[in-house]
Amino acid sequence: MHSLFPSRYWTFAIVVIAFIVSAWLWKSAEAWRVVAIFSGILVVVGIWDLAQTPHTLRRNYPLVGHIR
């Protein structure tokens, strides 16, 4: 079944949502700052994976492709 948002991007989407929420709550507690920094780094890695061309596994499965 073809969907508009394939399941292989769910991990990346969750990290993006975590970054947005933690950046919004940045001032409320120190823990949110840690989550924002960590998820921000993962968002950058995910965008880098989506933009690169030599490794199709990482392009098709951003973030999760690094586990292999």
Side-chain angles (χ1 to χ4, degrees):
M1 175 184 220
H2 181 71
S3 90
L4 294 174
F5 192 73
S7 62
R8 65 182 182 228
Y9 297 118
W10 286 357
T11 306
F12 182 61
I14 291 169
V15 169
V16 170
I17 291 168
F19 175 70
I20 292 169
V21 169
S22 61
W24 185 48
L25 297 171
W26 178 274
K27 291 184 180 180
S28 60
E30 182 73 28
W32 287 113
R33 292 180 190 140
V34 173
V35 173
I37 292 170
F38 183 70
S39 60
I41 292 170
L42 289 178
V43 167
V44 170
V45 170
I47 291 171
W48 184 267
D49 287 348
L50 288 171
Q52 58 86 29
T53 55
H55 303 283
T56 58
L57 183 66
R58 288 194 342 221
R59 184 175 58 237
N60 289 330
Y61 298 93
L63 299 178
V64 179
H66 287 277
I67 295 172
R68 184 176 184 272

